[in-house]
Amino acid sequence: MVKKKIASGRITAIFVAVCWIAYSFSYIGRLNFSASMAEMTHSGILLKSEAGAVTTGFFICYGLGQFLSGWLGDKVSPRYLVFTGLACSSLINLAISFGPPFMLMVALWSANGLAQALLWAPICRIVSDRVMTERRQKACTALATTMAGGTLFAYILSALLISASGWRASFICGSVCTMLAALVWIIITTKIEKNTDKNGIAEERPIIVDEGGEAVPHDEIPSNFIKLLAVSGLMSLAVASGVQGILKDCMSTWVPTFISDMFEMNSVVSILTGTLLPVFGLFGPYLANRIMAKTRDELSSLFILFIISSAALSLLALFGRFSIVISIVALAVTYACSLGQNMFIVGTIPMYFHNVGKVSMITGTLNAISYLSTAAMSWVTGALVDTAGWGIVMTVWLVLSSVAAVAVVFSRRRWNKFRRNLF
């Protein structure tokens, strides 16, 4: 068995809180663009198709950067990777506040995607290293709320700043917040890791066993990464990962513009209305845990969440254009479900690979698929809105959610069989 030091109870709580702050603040330096997008398009800074191109550049680089982040996260100290990502994002936000030309804005915001890619997979790795096994699910649940919390902060701050000083102020605020998060992260995690290495608890790593109860050497788990994905069922689950990314990020990116276009609201009001999504989203991971308590199976829980989101999107497609209340409720339920889906796909499930040292790689790969799908759909959404209208976009979201539910069914049996040999 391999022994390693993990944090004690009180230190664990502080540690998870620092992870929560770092990732939540990163959203302020990421979603301030989508929160400012309606104002930037209305004021003539960008066309809607150009705004879509900027967000597409971000998501492509964020997605591709996840592969690098996943690989580095298993080899380099997560502490330094997260600090580097936050600090670089701060500098890029400051540069965007000067209002560079369109192509330079695409290049800068794409670079922000690479910087922000250095955060999630290393955070998952450091949690798996420093939090004891029975507390990891609680840690994953808490960290899953960072998406909603960060989105809420970003939208409220951007709405207030745009109302008071214009869209540039939201990027200056993003720069300040991400730099503060970087400094808090590096100072506190350095102290915690040094203390844990000296005074932490030595946790024994469980032996992997097969279905008959016999010990299985670690080297019998496929060493080839592609084969590992295929054998574990994660290759099919990758489809669901792509869709939940679209429902979580692409949809939320376009919500202020959707509300502004459909119901003729000004930019600030549409942004504030969009904050209802992350308020509902805070309950998503806890809803997922309640479902998990009944099913005791991650993929069965995922299937139920995709069915709920499909029902909400059906309501949106059929009746959303007639009522802002119906639209917000349907979008909020879908967003809450997407955060629960995200918790399972890039939080809980990768933790099973702790025993074979692949937590960061699995997290990075599934996150990469999520954001590359989001990148493609962000561009498609901009094009469809300009050419066909929001009705077609809502129908596409519904179809994708239904496809994801089917993909989860295909991957469930293989994953449940493989999981027994990991944890």
Side-chain angles (χ1 to χ4, degrees):
M1 294 190 182
V2 177
K3 295 183 178 182
K4 60 191 210 45
K5 295 290 184 71
I6 58 172
S8 62
R10 186 178 68 86
I11 299 299
T12 296
I14 297 172
F15 178 68
V16 173
V18 173
C19 291
W20 196 95
I21 290 169
Y23 203 69
S24 294
F25 273 51
S26 77
Y27 267 71
I28 300 173
R30 168 196 315 195
L31 287 185
N32 50 357
F33 186 88
S34 62
S36 304
M37 201 159 59
E39 178 67 18
M40 294 171 80
T41 55
H42 287 168
S43 62
I45 300 296
L46 294 169
L47 299 174
K48 285 188 178 117
S49 56
E50 290 177 336
V54 174
T55 57
T56 295
F58 174 92
F59 287 127
I60 287 175
C61 289
Y62 188 89
L64 293 175
Q66 289 295 326
F67 290 114
L68 176 63
S69 177
W71 179 75
L72 285 174
D74 287 325
K75 299 178 181 299
V76 179
S77 171
R79 208 166 67 239
Y80 300 132
L81 291 175
V82 173
F83 173 77
T84 300
L86 288 169
C88 290
S89 183
S90 173
L91 297 175
I92 292 166
N93 268 267
L94 183 61
I96 290 288
S97 71
F98 289 100
F102 164 61
M103 290 306 298
L104 182 55
M105 191 176 291
V106 171
L108 285 169
W109 208 241
S110 297
N112 193 35
L114 287 174
Q116 297 247 347
L118 294 175
L119 306 180
W120 182 253
I123 285 176
C124 286
R125 153 79 193 283
I126 204 170
V127 167
S128 75
D129 282 349
R130 298 299 185 179
V131 177
M132 62 180 59
T133 302
E134 58 267 27
R135 294 186 179 179
R136 283 184 202 145
Q137 182 56 42
K138 287 185 178 179
C140 287
T141 303
L143 291 176
T145 64
T146 56
M147 292 79 172
T151 301
L152 189 61
F153 295 157
Y155 279 3
I156 290 175
L157 283 173
S158 293
L160 293 174
L161 290 167
I162 288 170
S163 178
S165 304
W167 63 268
R168 298 174 194 273
S170 68
F171 290 99
I172 294 173
C173 178
S175 176
V176 172
C177 287
T178 47
M179 185 58 74
L180 286 174
L183 295 174
V184 168
W185 167 268
I186 196 67
I187 292 169
I188 296 181
T189 56
T190 297
K191 290 182 178 179
I192 288 176
E193 290 217 293
K194 285 182 178 179
N195 178 270
T196 301
D197 287 336
K198 183 179 180 180
N199 304 311
I201 305 165
E203 183 181 48
E204 295 182 342
R205 184 169 67 177
I207 297 174
I208 300 174
V209 297
D210 65 14
E211 292 183 48
E214 297 295 325
V216 178
H218 289 187
D219 57 10
E220 288 190 17
I221 301 296
S223 57
N224 181 280
F225 190 68
I226 300 300
K227 186 176 181 181
L228 181 64
L229 292 178
V231 169
S232 64
L234 295 190
M235 201 163 279
S236 300
L237 193 63
V239 175
S241 183
V243 173
Q244 68 83 22
I246 290 170
L247 298 181
K248 177 173 67 70
D249 289 298
C250 177
M251 191 181 75
S252 62
T253 295
W254 283 94
V255 161
T257 306
F258 167 79
I259 293 171
S260 179
D261 289 351
M262 293 292 287
F263 303 103
E264 298 182 348
M265 292 184 171
N266 67 46
S267 301
V268 173
V269 174
S270 67
I271 293 170
L272 289 174
T273 306
T275 61
L276 293 175
L277 263 70
V279 170
F280 275 84
L282 288 169
F283 298 98
Y286 297 99
L287 170 64
N289 274 341
R290 291 294 297 271
I291 296 172
M292 177 72 173
K294 299 291 185 182
T295 64
R296 298 187 181 278
D297 181 322
E298 291 90 357
L299 294 201
S300 294
S301 303
L302 262 178
F303 176 77
I304 292 170
L305 288 170
F306 276 115
I307 291 299
I308 295 173
S309 63
S310 296
L313 288 169
S314 297
L315 186 67
L316 178 68
L318 291 172
F319 306 110
R321 72 197 70 184
F322 305 116
S323 167
I324 188 171
V325 174
I326 291 176
S327 292
I328 290 296
V329 170
L331 289 166
V333 170
T334 303
Y335 184 71
C337 287
S338 74
L339 292 191
Q341 295 153 7
N342 180 267
M343 181 186 76
F344 286 129
I345 294 173
V346 297
T348 304
I349 288 173
M351 291 295 176
Y352 283 103
F353 292 84
H354 172 70
N355 293 345
V356 290
K358 298 289 185 183
V359 172
S360 185
M361 182 67 81
I362 294 294
T363 304
T365 299
L366 291 175
N367 228 7
I369 293 166
S370 169
Y371 281 97
L372 288 174
S373 301
T374 300
M377 194 61 202
S378 183
W379 178 82
V380 169
T381 297
L384 286 176
V385 170
D386 281 340
T387 58
W390 282 105
I392 295 298
V393 172
M394 291 184 285
T395 302
V396 170
W397 287 343
L398 169 60
V399 171
L400 289 173
S401 182
S402 303
V403 168
V406 174
V408 171
V409 172
F410 276 108
S411 60
R412 180 177 176 273
R413 183 176 179 182
R414 182 166 287 188
W415 166 249
N416 285 341
K417 180 179 179 181
F418 184 76
R419 181 184 60 177
R420 288 193 292 268
N421 288 340
L422 279 178
F423 225 34

